[in-house]
């Protein structure tokens, strides 16, 4: 399946039972809700998916189940965030064998690589697979920035096609477009900057709160692309307190509480993460409760 690298792509959570095992029943319910809302792809094994806590076997289970649920309707993309280049290549090859449609690559983890090392890391993975690739550029959280000059080198490989743009600099969307035209697709990776990024020309949105509110997320994207910015902005303003839950070290716990509110998940996380406690838990629940009480009525966005 060809990936167009556009639209809304949820970075989905991994569902766990109270005993800490994969909760495939709730996982399937959530993926089905994403597809029904009109998302354009599913991304597995990101930060929100608690990838660092998953075994290789669990990752394969999630991949196989997502491919089954998606049934060729939308592409399935796997995040690569391994400790070594060799481990990253092994996972990339295995994902391709299993039938995954694309990859998202983080820079080297647990090591602040130089620009040269980072480029070589991405190149080696890209050369090991025929799958299309999106580079995750998040210098705020991962301390490594993929600069435009680095992308100049990376784009010599045809299967490096997109960037999850999370520099927090809206003007970077325009810089990328000016330098590379449509050769490098741009997907906003920061929920609180999504509408602005799409207006600036971003092709898509790798979203977090979408796992709890898929219809609202897709509606915003489609309305903006249709030029109906005022309608999108009304939904976005309602959404903003929720979207801010994504820019937190506890984004997984926050977003899982939102999934509970909409019936699309549980708050079970895998240690060392623990469910929110005390005043912080009450603060987050108050934000979610207020949003649920004022949830907007959406236009018929699927027909736009």
């Amino acid at each position: 399946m060809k990936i167009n690298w556009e639209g809304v792509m949820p970075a989905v959570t991994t569902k766990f039972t109270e005993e800490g095992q994969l909760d495939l029943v709730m996982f399937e319910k959530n993926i089905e809700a994403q597809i029904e809302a009109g998302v354009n792809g599913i991304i597995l094994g990101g930060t929100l998916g608690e990838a660092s806590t998953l075994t290789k076997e669990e990752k394969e289970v999630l991949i196989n189940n997502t491919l089954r649920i998606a049934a060729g309707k939308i592409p399935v993309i796997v995040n690569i965030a391994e400790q070594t280049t060799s481990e990253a290549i092994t996972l990339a090859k295995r994902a391709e064998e299993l039938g995954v449609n694309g990859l998202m690559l983080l820079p080297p983890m647990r090591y602040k690589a130089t620009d040269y090392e980072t480029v070589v890391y991405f190149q080696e993975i890209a050369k090991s697979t025929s799958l299309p690739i999106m580079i995750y550029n998040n210098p705020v959280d991962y301390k490594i920035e993929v600069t435009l000059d680095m992308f100049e080198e990376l784009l010599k490989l045809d299967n490096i096609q997109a960037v999850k743009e999370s520099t927090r600099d809206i003007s970077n969307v325009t810089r990328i477009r000016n330098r590379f035209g449509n050769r490098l697709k741009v997907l906003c990776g920061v929920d609180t900057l999504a509408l602005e990024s799409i207006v600036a020309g971003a092709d898509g949105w790798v979203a977090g709160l979408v796992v709890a509110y898929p219809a609202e997320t897709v509606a915003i994207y489609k309305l903006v692309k249709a030029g109906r910015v005022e309608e999108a902005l009304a939904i976005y303003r309602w959404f903003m307190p929720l979207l801010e839950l994504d820019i937190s070290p506890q984004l997984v716990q926050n977003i899982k509480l939102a999934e509970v509110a909409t019936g699309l998940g549980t708050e079970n996380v895998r240690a060392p993460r623990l469910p929110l406690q005390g005043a912080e838990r009450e603060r987050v629940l108050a934000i979610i409760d207020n949003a649920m009480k004022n949830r907007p009525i959406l236009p018929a966005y699927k027909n736009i």
Side-chain angles (χ1 to χ4, degrees):
M1 175 183 291
K2 185 179 186 299
I3 301 179
N4 294 323
W5 300 113
E6 60 186 26
V8 173
M9 295 190 177
V12 297
T13 55
T14 300
K15 309 300 187 289
F16 298 110
T17 65
E18 291 184 1
E19 295 73 31
Q21 303 304 309
L22 294 180
D23 184 346
L24 297 176
V25 173
M26 186 57 78
F27 181 78
E28 181 163 349
K29 181 179 181 180
N30 191 288
I31 299 297
E32 287 178 342
Q34 304 303 317
I35 295 171
E36 171 60 26
V39 302
N40 300 86
I42 298 291
I43 300 175
L44 297 172
T47 302
L48 193 52
E50 298 176 73
S52 63
T53 73
L54 300 174
T55 66
K56 293 178 181 178
E57 291 75 19
E58 287 173 328
K59 289 178 182 178
E60 290 200 11
V61 169
L62 292 173
I63 289 169
N64 286 327
N65 273 270
T66 308
L67 287 169
R68 174 183 58 80
I69 300 163
K73 298 172 187 173
I74 57 173
V76 176
I77 299 154
V78 169
N79 183 56
I80 305 287
E82 309 311 301
Q83 305 306 317
T84 67
T85 303
S86 62
E87 288 175 326
I89 289 172
T90 297
L91 179 55
K93 288 181 175 179
R94 183 58 179 152
E96 185 166 10
E97 289 173 359
L98 292 172
V100 161
N101 307 113
L103 302 174
M104 182 170 77
L105 304 186
L106 268 71
M109 303 302 289
R110 296 190 182 178
Y111 172 62
K112 191 177 184 305
T114 66
D115 289 1
Y116 173 70
E117 289 172 322
T118 302
V119 168
V120 171
Y121 173 77
F122 287 140
Q123 287 174 330
E124 291 300 307
I125 300 169
K127 290 175 183 176
S128 75
T129 178
S130 65
L131 291 175
I133 289 169
M134 174 167 60
I135 301 295
Y136 187 0
N137 190 18
N138 187 347
V140 175
D141 292 324
Y142 299 120
K143 312 308 177 187
I144 293 175
E145 180 171 4
V146 186
T147 66
L148 297 189
D149 287 343
M150 293 164 72
F151 273 114
E152 193 79 53
E153 288 298 311
L154 292 170
L155 293 180
K156 292 176 182 177
L157 296 171
D158 290 341
N159 60 333
I160 295 180
Q161 300 175 356
V163 57
K164 180 182 176 184
E165 165 52 38
S166 300
T167 63
R168 293 0 183 226
D169 183 354
I170 290 290
S171 59
N172 215 34
V173 175
T174 301
R175 292 191 189 98
I176 291 169
R177 190 66 74 228
N178 285 347
R179 180 107 169 229
F180 303 114
N182 290 320
R183 170 64 182 86
L184 183 64
K185 294 287 189 174
V186 182
L187 289 86
C188 176
V190 183
D191 274 357
T192 56
L193 300 177
L195 183 145
E196 297 88 341
S197 295
I198 298 164
V199 169
D203 301 285
W205 178 3
V206 177
L209 265 298
V210 64
V211 296
Y213 299 93
E216 289 85 350
T217 308
V218 176
I220 289 170
Y221 174 82
K222 284 185 167 288
L223 286 167
V224 174
K225 286 296 186 182
R228 294 163 60 175
V229 177
E230 287 299 321
E231 292 175 79
L233 190 57
I235 303 168
Y236 191 58
R237 285 174 175 161
W238 162 83
F239 213 177
M240 185 57 68
L242 290 166
L243 298 179
E244 288 177 331
L245 298 177
D246 187 45
I247 49 174
S248 161
Q250 285 72 47
L251 78 162
V252 175
Q253 293 95 319
N254 293 345
I255 292 175
K256 284 193 168 184
L257 278 177
E259 287 181 309
V260 171
T262 57
L264 295 179
T266 70
E267 66 173 304
N268 299 325
V269 292
R270 183 170 275 180
R273 286 184 181 86
L274 296 173
L276 295 181
Q277 304 292 318
E280 181 60 12
R281 179 184 178 84
E282 294 307 312
R283 183 188 74 83
V284 172
L285 285 173
I287 291 170
I288 296 168
D289 183 58
N290 184 63
M292 294 299 291
K293 289 177 180 176
N294 297 285
R295 199 169 183 178
I297 297 173
L298 302 177
Y301 68 88
K302 291 183 182 180
N303 300 322
I304 296 175

